Amino acid sequence: MNATETGGLPPRAAPEEGRLPAPAPAADGKGSIKRKLLLVLGVYLAGLIALIAIYGFKGTRNEAFKPQNEFKLENWVNLGIFSINKAVLYLILAAALTAGTMTYIARRMQQRPNKVQAAVEALFRLMHDNITASAMDERMAAKWFPFIGTLFLFILFSNLVGYIPLPTNTENEINVLGLQIPSFSLYAATANLSVPLVLALTVFVSYTVEGIRAKGPIGYLKGLVPGGVEGGMAIPIFFLEVLSNLMRILSLTIRLFANILAGHLIILFMAGALAVILGSAWLGWFTLPFGIILFAFEVGLVAALQAFIFATLTAIYLGGAVARDH
Amino acid sequence: MHIALITVLAAAEETAKAGKSIGLGVGGGLGAVGAGVGIGLIFGKAIEAITRQPEMRDEITQLQWLGFALTEATFFYGLVAGLLAAFIV
């Protein structure tokens, strides 16, 4: 408990610990944590005041830096519409991770699970019992679990890889020992509109096809109208339902895309872009802790939550498409 | 004459810029208001439900996250509309 809490402190606290004369080891845990927190706060405020004193309160606007270039896709290999750029790299990374880690762990399954296997088993239970089996009957669940599970893991890995800074920004290069390497940047395949759109279209096509196979084309279209609606009212309701079916593509896409893009944007701005644009040093120091907190929030909650939502809604749509009564 | 024309054109450009900024502000700001109310309601109700029926905690938590994500998405619809207004239209 104690160790994890101190480990969870922002990394800035680390150098200060070394510089201080070692605190009395006999001090009880609570007191030392409080002292460390106060120390971090003190360093933060002192840094803020020092930066304002050195560089002044007003900054000069920087017109050269364009934050939208962080999301610009530069073709590395030109192949027309199949050009390879950084989004493709992230897609391949996520796909390789999904396939690689899962087959590796499945090959090494043991009777007595180690920690990684236990975590993957928990993940499997979440995907199988909570997401898939709760939305459809057993036969359907057995048939569609691979699809939903893969979708979940692919989006999860895609989101998580996006929060690791990788040297992919070929727009701006940095010089390390005479070598031009691309600067490190955050990017995720799911922060590009086309990737979630393709995933959502796949989901739409699969549940429509499954519904038509279960009920026939006419039966499926009839099934769109909720039970209990009869007579003349059925016609406008039918069009509304068709429209809401098409809106599902849009809502699945935008939910995933905008969540990840907004997460990346806000991390970018909090962790320095705002300070660079406005050209004031103290602002960067001021927003850095918020950047770290938001980063932890995005990695810990949003990445997994969005994958969970996408998979859950897929399961619900699939289950709804074959259900006898709407 | 020319200077007057330039001033008028510049003023029009400023107005367009102001409109775009208003679009972004309304899209992001009002979207955040609605989603904030919704998320607050969801978590409040979830806490109420769990205190009433602690044995249903797991199911309620799952539904709570589902509702949270669906509600949060509406904020992003507003934000995307605002960003479209500000940078693309």
Side-chain angles (χ1 to χ4, degrees), chain A residues 256-297:
Chain A
L256 180 57
F257 153 72
N259 257 295
I260 305 301
L261 180 70
H264 278 260
L265 269 179
I266 201 157
I267 290 171
L268 174 70
F269 276 110
M270 288 292 138
L274 208 58
V276 173
I277 291 172
L278 298 178
S280 51
W282 68 273
L283 196 64
W285 182 258
F286 178 71
T287 54
L288 185 62
F290 300 105
I292 293 169
I293 292 168
L294 280 164
F295 186 86
F297 173 73

Side-chain angles (χ1 to χ4, degrees), chain A residues 118-205:
Chain A
V120 171
E121 277 174 9
L123 208 60
F124 184 90
R125 256 200 306 283
L126 172 79
M127 291 189 295
H128 190 269
D129 300 353
N130 295 9
I131 297 179
T132 312
S134 64
M136 50 184 86
D137 64 39
E138 232 164 77
R139 244 194 67 237
M140 273 285 282
K143 189 172 165 192
W144 284 98
F145 169 65
F147 175 64
I148 293 166
T150 312
L151 212 52
F152 176 81
L153 287 173
F154 177 71
I155 295 172
L156 179 65
F157 276 114
S158 187
N159 289 350
L160 286 178
V161 168
Y163 294 115
I164 305 170
L166 293 174
T168 52
N169 190 348
T170 39
E171 188 90 350
N172 308 303
E173 300 192 316
I174 46 172
N175 198 338
V176 180
L177 303 173
L179 213 69
Q180 292 285 331
I181 63 163
S183 53
F184 284 78
S185 67
L186 296 181
Y187 188 79
T190 36
N192 186 317
L193 185 58
S194 13
V195 176
L197 181 62
V198 167
L199 294 178
L201 281 174
T202 317
V203 169
F204 177 77
V205 169

Side-chain angles (χ1 to χ4, degrees), chain A residues 130 251 254-255 257-259 262 301 305-306 308-309 312-313 316, chain B residues 62 65-70 72-73 75-77 79-80 83 87:
Chain A
N130 295 9
S251 73
I254 293 193
R255 183 179 304 112
F257 153 72
N259 257 295
L301 184 65
L305 190 60
Q306 291 310 317
F308 172 75
I309 293 302
T312 307
L313 287 176
I316 290 171
Chain B
Q62 197 187 343
W65 287 121
L66 188 61
F68 167 77
L70 291 177
E72 198 204 19
F75 162 58
F76 289 110
Y77 300 153
L79 188 64
V80 167
L83 287 173
F87 292 111

Side-chain angles (χ1 to χ4, degrees), chain A residues 4-310:
Chain A
T4 56
E5 267 180 3
T6 46
L9 278 177
R12 272 189 296 107
E16 265 70 45
E17 278 175 348
R19 210 185 303 151
L20 269 186
D28 60 315
K30 232 177 183 174
S32 78
I33 286 174
K34 200 172 171 192
R35 205 177 314 149
K36 269 178 200 156
L37 280 177
L38 277 177
L39 188 74
V40 169
L41 192 68
V43 169
Y44 178 59
L45 287 178
L48 203 57
I49 291 166
L51 282 174
I52 291 177
I54 296 169
Y55 294 104
F57 190 76
K58 268 185 84 82
T60 47
R61 256 188 107 88
N62 179 350
E63 303 285 351
F65 173 67
K66 299 243 183 316
Q68 60 265 39
N69 277 358
E70 290 290 313
F71 297 93
K72 200 167 151 188
L73 295 175
E74 214 182 37
N75 285 349
W76 293 339
V77 183
N78 239 326
L79 298 172
I81 55 166
F82 297 109
S83 297
I84 295 184
N85 51 32
K86 81 179 161 180
V88 178
L89 173 75
Y90 273 94
L91 268 179
I92 292 170
L93 266 180
L97 271 173
T98 311
T101 51
M102 289 304 138
T103 13
Y104 178 71
I105 290 162
R107 287 251 172 83
R108 291 176 28 133
M109 286 282 243
Q110 313 161 350
Q111 206 62 44
R112 289 163 51 98
N114 53 5
K115 267 187 190 148
V116 180
Q117 192 186 330
V120 171
E121 277 174 9
L123 208 60
F124 184 90
R125 256 200 306 283
L126 172 79
M127 291 189 295
H128 190 269
D129 300 353
N130 295 9
I131 297 179
T132 312
S134 64
M136 50 184 86
D137 64 39
E138 232 164 77
R139 244 194 67 237
M140 273 285 282
K143 189 172 165 192
W144 284 98
F145 169 65
F147 175 64
I148 293 166
T150 312
L151 212 52
F152 176 81
L153 287 173
F154 177 71
I155 295 172
L156 179 65
F157 276 114
S158 187
N159 289 350
L160 286 178
V161 168
Y163 294 115
I164 305 170
L166 293 174
T168 52
N169 190 348
T170 39
E171 188 90 350
N172 308 303
E173 300 192 316
I174 46 172
N175 198 338
V176 180
L177 303 173
L179 213 69
Q180 292 285 331
I181 63 163
S183 53
F184 284 78
S185 67
L186 296 181
Y187 188 79
T190 36
N192 186 317
L193 185 58
S194 13
V195 176
L197 181 62
V198 167
L199 294 178
L201 281 174
T202 317
V203 169
F204 177 77
V205 169
S206 35
Y207 81 72
T208 309
V209 169
E210 188 67 19
I212 289 174
R213 275 178 58 182
K215 300 181 199 167
I218 309 290
Y220 179 68
L221 289 179
K222 269 187 188 160
L224 286 178
V225 180
V229 180
E230 276 159 20
M233 262 319 272
I235 295 162
I237 297 275
F238 172 74
F239 282 109
L240 273 181
E241 289 289 328
V242 169
L243 200 66
S244 89
N245 249 295
L246 293 175
M247 286 294 283
R248 284 174 177 180
I249 304 176
L250 205 66
S251 73
L252 273 179
T253 310
I254 293 193
R255 183 179 304 112
L256 180 57
F257 153 72
N259 257 295
I260 305 301
L261 180 70
H264 278 260
L265 269 179
I266 201 157
I267 290 171
L268 174 70
F269 276 110
M270 288 292 138
L274 208 58
V276 173
I277 291 172
L278 298 178
S280 51
W282 68 273
L283 196 64
W285 182 258
F286 178 71
T287 54
L288 185 62
F290 300 105
I292 293 169
I293 292 168
L294 280 164
F295 186 86
F297 173 73
E298 293 287 328
V299 173
L301 184 65
V302 174
L305 190 60
Q306 291 310 317
F308 172 75
I309 293 302
F310 202 99

Side-chain angles (χ1 to χ4, degrees), chain B residues 24-43:
Chain B
L24 182 55
V26 169
L30 280 186
V33 169
V37 171
I39 291 171
L41 273 176
I42 286 165
F43 278 94

